[in-house]
Amino acid sequence: MTVTFDPASYKDTTRAQWEEAAAAWHAWGPTLEEWLGEATELMLDTAGVGTGSRVLDVAAGAGGQTLAAARRVGPTGNVLATDISPAILRHAAAVAAAAGLTTVRTRELDGERLDVEPAAFDAVVSRLGLIYFPDRAGALAGQYRALRPGGRIAAVVYSTPDRNGFFSVPVSIIRRRAQLPPPAPGQPGPFSLGGPGVLEGELRAAGFRDVGSQVVPAPLRLPAAADCVRFERESFGALHQMLAGLAPDERADAWAEIGSELAAFEGPDGFEGPCELIVAWGVK
């Protein structure tokens, strides 16, 4: 059976899933920052985010990296957090306000259509967002336009499925049970930019120079495999999209199998799910 990918429908579904998962993603914030913290700091370093920087955060989600950027830029800089989901941005705004970070603004924007002033930013960052854009070339073109000459871009993505068992195991189980075909080249998905040189090539094609990348080991550590299942079941919109065609009892069976398989990553010190991230960067 041939399945035609419809980017408009995909984005509508993505928005709806993140609207639903926003509260859970926010609630898992401490876990997210512990897990993604090292890659986030490298992203901000390579984007040149420092005192006074004007930063555009694309697909900001609940804003963990937004807050990290805001702390770096201080009172003389500013951070604009954008996302396709207004619900998740409300959490980002609330957390920023609670932290007293008055230089953070939020705006609902499609990452493929960045309606921002050209050349207005010193840095553009995106943490685990670019992988889900159907039109990555368009998204990167918009980010290029948003940067001033000499401005820097940096993004975090997953590497390959074999290095990310915490996520690839559920994906493969759900794909088999839902009889979903493998993603075609160029389609969005968690591992769509993880191959050697893929993200770097996309950055160069968008016009960025001095492109580089670094692999960051980022194991997901939790007390037990059941906690990983709960984390993903509550807040991973991509998995919910894949499960949408299954009946409720079939979804329950899929999650049971996922839990059983993820238990292989439990040890004496708890659950350690394999995860490997790539941070890539470039200059306008």
Side-chain angles (χ1 to χ4, degrees):
M1 179 179 66
T2 301
V3 178
T4 302
F5 177 73
D6 181 347
S9 176
Y10 168 84
K11 286 169 70 172
D12 287 344
T13 304
T14 297
R15 180 185 290 105
Q17 293 290 357
W18 280 113
E19 289 286 281
E20 183 179 346
W25 191 253
H26 165 69
W28 283 95
T31 296
L32 287 167
E33 298 318 309
E34 181 178 354
W35 166 39
L36 301 174
E38 182 180 350
T40 300
E41 292 303 313
L42 179 60
M43 176 183 71
L44 298 176
D45 286 345
T46 55
V49 176
T51 302
S53 294
R54 300 162 297 170
V55 182
L56 174 62
D57 187 354
V58 179
Q65 71 289 335
T66 305
L67 270 63
R71 293 187 181 101
R72 286 187 177 217
V73 306
T76 58
N78 59 76
V79 183
L80 175 60
T82 66
D83 201 278
I84 200 171
S85 164
I88 209 164
L89 283 177
R90 286 193 289 272
H91 289 290
V95 172
L101 296 169
T102 59
T103 58
V104 173
R105 296 173 294 137
T106 62
R107 187 186 304 170
E108 180 187 351
L109 279 179
D110 184 336
E112 296 176 358
R113 296 177 178 83
L114 287 172
D115 183 17
V116 297
E117 183 182 351
F121 296 92
D122 302 302
V124 175
V125 297
S126 186
R127 185 175 81 174
L128 300 180
L130 192 58
I131 49 179
Y132 295 118
F133 291 171
D135 181 11
R136 286 194 294 269
L140 288 171
Q143 294 175 38
Y144 188 91
R145 285 192 300 271
L147 283 169
R148 63 166 176 78
R152 302 183 67 88
I153 186 174
V156 179
V157 302
Y158 297 109
S159 68
T160 50
D162 60 299
R163 308 290 292 178
N164 286 277
F166 90 100
F167 202 174
S168 62
V169 166
V171 166
S172 63
I173 289 171
I174 294 170
R175 191 176 298 283
R176 170 173 49 79
R177 284 178 169 268
Q179 299 182 24
L180 297 173
Q187 282 188 6
F191 311 113
S192 57
L193 290 169
V198 175
L199 178 53
E200 296 93 317
E202 297 261 7
L203 292 174
R204 292 189 183 98
F208 291 100
R209 58 183 172 85
D210 298 337
V211 172
S213 67
Q214 183 174 323
V215 170
V216 180
L220 175 61
R221 297 185 175 95
L222 291 164
D227 297 291
C228 183
V229 172
R230 186 164 64 89
F231 177 35
E232 296 178 345
R233 190 168 187 169
E234 291 178 357
S235 58
F236 276 46
L239 297 180
H240 286 280
Q241 281 180 298
M242 295 175 67
L243 283 162
L246 294 179
D249 59 334
E250 294 173 319
R251 294 178 202 174
D253 289 344
W255 283 115
E257 183 180 355
I258 288 167
S260 177
E261 291 297 313
L262 289 179
F265 301 129
E266 284 186 342
D269 298 320
F271 175 83
E272 186 170 304
C275 175
E276 183 179 84
L277 304 172
I278 299 170
V279 179
W281 58 85
V283 182
K284 179 175 179 178

